[in-house]
Amino acid sequence: MDCGKLFIVPTPVGNLEDMTFRAIKVLGEVSLILAEDTRTSSVLLKHYDIHRPMQAHHKFNEHNTATALVERIKSGENIALISDAGTPGISDPGFFLARECAQQGIEVECLPGATACIPALVDSGLPCDRFCFEGFLPQKKGRQTRLESLRYETRTMVFYESPYRVLKTLTQFAQFFSPEREVSVTREISKIHEQTIRGTLQDVIQYFTENEPKGEFVIVLAGFKE
């Protein structure tokens, strides 16, 4: 029997219309859809009239379920992996299963599609020909070390942050990188209340001190200039 395939399928980060035709087709044909949160993903699948079996696959169970999933794919099943929003593996579950499949000689195919970091980077007005993606900083252990390691990074840096920590993170950036460092902060990408605030770290800190941060954030920080 021919081996199946693992499809990594991006899903919209906001507007449901950002789903691609190909993603809809793949999700409608696979034997199983692995979802970070089946309740969240069921809304998307219902919207596109997709009726395939779903199974929870998240950071708390991926190490325990990977072996069985790999065997199912080896037996000929095609399985798709999605996360709550964006591309699996980018600050979301996905890397572990993709690695296990690749090591077992199983074909892994990632469809192009939505991810929050690229739109935020491109519309930031900061150089995007070379950049580094840092995702979420460590919340406690290793945070200071990570920031110190980036002090002289010359490329534009991209970070993810929650509304509860964005002001703290921007304040730490000002301490490590200087209050005059340029930054662009985008929230709620592809949603009704999408917004981008640009300026120096000092300017943006002032803005979010006066305006309560709401939504999911992408911080695009200018690199070090000698």
Side-chain angles (χ1 to χ4, degrees), residues 34-42 54 56-58 82-84:
L34 302 174
E36 184 178 5
D37 186 326
T38 55
R39 294 166 299 180
T40 299
S41 296
S42 64
M54 265 199 300
H57 183 84
H58 45 70
I82 61 176
S83 60
D84 289 349

Side-chain angles (χ1 to χ4, degrees), residues 13 51 71 114 125 186 203:
V13 296
H51 304 280
E71 290 305 314
T186 300
D203 295 334

Side-chain angles (χ1 to χ4, degrees), residues 147-181:
L147 289 170
E148 186 63 47
S149 73
L150 295 171
R151 190 186 291 273
Y152 300 109
E153 173 59 64
T154 58
R155 295 170 294 178
T156 300
M157 294 167 274
V158 183
F159 303 86
Y160 285 164
E161 194 50 277
S162 77
Y164 312 108
R165 290 189 299 271
V166 68
L167 195 52
K168 171 188 174 181
T169 296
L170 290 170
T171 301
Q172 287 184 314
F173 284 176
Q175 295 168 353
F176 275 85
F177 307 121
S178 142
E180 298 304 316
R181 183 77 67 95

Side-chain angles (χ1 to χ4, degrees), residues 56-84:
H57 183 84
H58 45 70
K59 64 181 180 180
F60 301 109
N61 73 355
E62 60 181 348
H63 288 76
N64 297 325
T65 59
T67 300
L69 292 170
V70 166
E71 290 305 314
R72 289 184 63 169
I73 298 172
K74 279 185 171 181
S75 71
E77 293 188 56
N78 289 327
I79 292 179
L81 173 65
I82 61 176
S83 60
D84 289 349

